[in-house]
């Protein structure tokens, strides 16, 4: 991984169990230095859509040579700290921190000065084209599930499509740190493509269709295997992520004070 550009997640502001969707940044764009990129859907602005961008799948593509050259010219990859002319520094406020990160250096600001904002706006100006040119990820998928025992007023849950039952995949309720665990990064389950990851993607796509039609009945994606009903959160598994599902150069997530 050569460069990551992302907004550090604020785990404590996410719904319990849903951090898997944002643990690698919200927004997030990663370049591997070999002309490939991966990005989450949070760069796409759809103000009138009921679909939460956190739920959108990731995309990958090949970086056009012209954009690769512009990145080299616009962002000091070996000295990202030169961009850190923050007006509001990371960690000073309960606000999201934007980050440029490579193996050698980083820059983190809530609100940047001229250098940081120019670099950020450059990446943002290319993001929509990269998203449009990218293809949805297939392969393995990351999953977190939270027991759902309150179906009143909601649509019927989707049928769980995997042979493995839902119950063992739930975030545990019987441990002392259960609430903390529900807001932690790196606690998802990896569902292999061979085990049915693409079946889960199909349900996610149907959920988008249903939520567009009747958003009030679909606050989140719910599934049942007949014995267990759960709210299920998904994120495409990514190249370069570690065994916990985290990309390289992942800063500790920001947490609001208790």
């Amino acid at each position: 991984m050569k460069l990551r550009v992302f907004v550090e997640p604020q785990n404590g502001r996410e719904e319990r169990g849903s951090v898997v969707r944002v643990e690698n940044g919200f927004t997030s764009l990663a370049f591997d230095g070999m002309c490939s990129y991966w990005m989450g859907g949070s760069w796409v602005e759809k103000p009138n859509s009921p679909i939460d961008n956190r739920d959108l799948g990731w995309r990958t593509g090949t970086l056009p040579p012209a954009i690769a050259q512009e990145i080299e010219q616009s962002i000091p990859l070996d000295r990202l700290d030169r961009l850190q002319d923050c007006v509001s520094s990371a960690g000073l406020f309960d606000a999201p921190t934007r980050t440029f990160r490579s193996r050698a250096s980083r820059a983190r600001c809530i609100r940047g000065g001229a250098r940081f904002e120019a670099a950020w706006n450059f990446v943002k100006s290319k993001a929509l084209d990269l998203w449009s040119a990218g293809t949805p990820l297939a392969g393995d998928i990351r999953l977190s599930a939270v027991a759902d025992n309150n179906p009143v007023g909601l649509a019927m849950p989707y049928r769980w499509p995997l042979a493995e039952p839902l119950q063992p995949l739930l975030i545990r309720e019987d441990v002392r740190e259960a609430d903390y665990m529900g807001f932690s990064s790196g606690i998802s389950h990896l569902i292999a493509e061979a085990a049915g990851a693409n079946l889960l993607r199909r349900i996610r796509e149907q959920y988008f269709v249903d939520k567009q039609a009747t958003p009030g009945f679909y606050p989140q994606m719910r599934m049942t295997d007949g014995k267990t009903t759960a709210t299920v959160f998904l994120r495409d598994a990514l190249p370069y992520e570690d065994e916990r599902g985290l990309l390289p150069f992942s800063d500790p997530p920001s947490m609001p004070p208790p």
Side-chain angles (χ1 to χ4, degrees):
M1 189 65 64
K2 188 171 185 178
L3 174 67
R4 291 186 59 201
V5 184
F6 62 103
V7 178
E8 295 174 22
Q10 293 183 287
N11 290 16
R13 294 191 175 276
E14 299 297 322
E15 184 173 341
R16 185 171 183 272
S18 70
V19 171
V20 63
R21 302 180 301 175
V22 301
E23 61 191 355
N24 285 309
F26 183 73
T27 56
S28 189
L29 179 57
F31 306 95
D32 70 352
M34 294 180 286
C35 295
S36 294
Y37 66 87
W38 296 266
M39 63 189 305
S42 49
W43 296 95
V44 181
E45 297 181 2
K46 295 182 178 180
N48 297 318
S49 173
I51 306 302
D52 189 334
N53 284 355
R54 293 168 175 82
D55 287 319
L56 296 177
W58 281 57
R59 292 188 179 187
T60 185
T62 300
L63 203 61
I67 295 182
Q69 184 176 13
E70 286 185 82
I71 290 174
E72 297 279 354
Q73 294 172 346
S74 302
I75 300 175
L77 298 176
D78 294 329
R79 289 296 309 273
L80 293 173
D81 54 295
R82 292 175 177 169
L83 299 177
Q84 194 159 308
D85 58 345
C86 305
V87 175
S88 300
S89 298
L92 290 181
F93 303 103
D94 182 18
T97 297
R98 295 174 294 164
T99 298
F100 291 87
R101 188 71 190 267
S102 70
R103 187 175 302 279
S105 59
R106 71 179 183 183
R108 302 171 69 222
C109 293
I110 292 173
R111 186 159 61 96
R115 293 191 302 275
F116 188 96
E117 294 299 335
W120 187 269
N121 288 332
F122 163 74
V123 173
K124 187 176 180 180
S125 73
K126 305 301 180 184
L128 187 57
D129 286 341
L130 293 178
W131 177 262
S132 298
T135 56
L137 285 181
D140 301 346
I141 205 164
R142 290 272 172 182
L143 176 149
S144 288
V146 179
D148 184 347
N149 300 312
N150 185 28
V152 178
L154 303 180
M156 291 292 292
Y158 301 102
R159 187 69 184 176
W160 176 246
L162 307 187
E164 180 180 6
L166 251 175
Q167 199 280 330
L169 300 176
L170 298 180
I171 292 176
R172 293 175 59 188
E173 302 279 359
D174 60 341
V175 293
R176 187 174 181 181
E177 299 296 327
D179 284 340
Y180 177 73
M181 287 176 63
F183 294 96
S184 295
S185 297
I187 63 169
S188 65
H189 295 273
L190 182 66
I191 307 297
E193 182 175 16
N198 287 329
L199 298 176
L200 291 168
R201 287 188 176 90
R202 289 176 198 167
I203 292 178
R204 181 172 64 185
E205 292 302 315
Q206 185 60 50
Y207 164 70
F208 291 160
V209 172
D210 294 337
K211 187 161 186 171
Q212 288 276 12
T214 53
F217 288 100
Y218 295 90
Q220 294 293 356
M221 186 168 56
R222 301 166 61 246
M223 299 187 194
T224 185
D225 62 5
K227 295 181 178 179
T228 301
T229 300
T231 300
V232 175
F233 301 97
L234 302 174
R235 174 184 56 77
D236 300 308
L238 303 169
Y240 300 101
E241 68 179 30
D242 64 18
E243 68 280 359
R244 298 187 301 150
L246 304 181
L247 288 174
F249 325 136
S250 292
D251 291 303
S254 305
M255 295 287 287

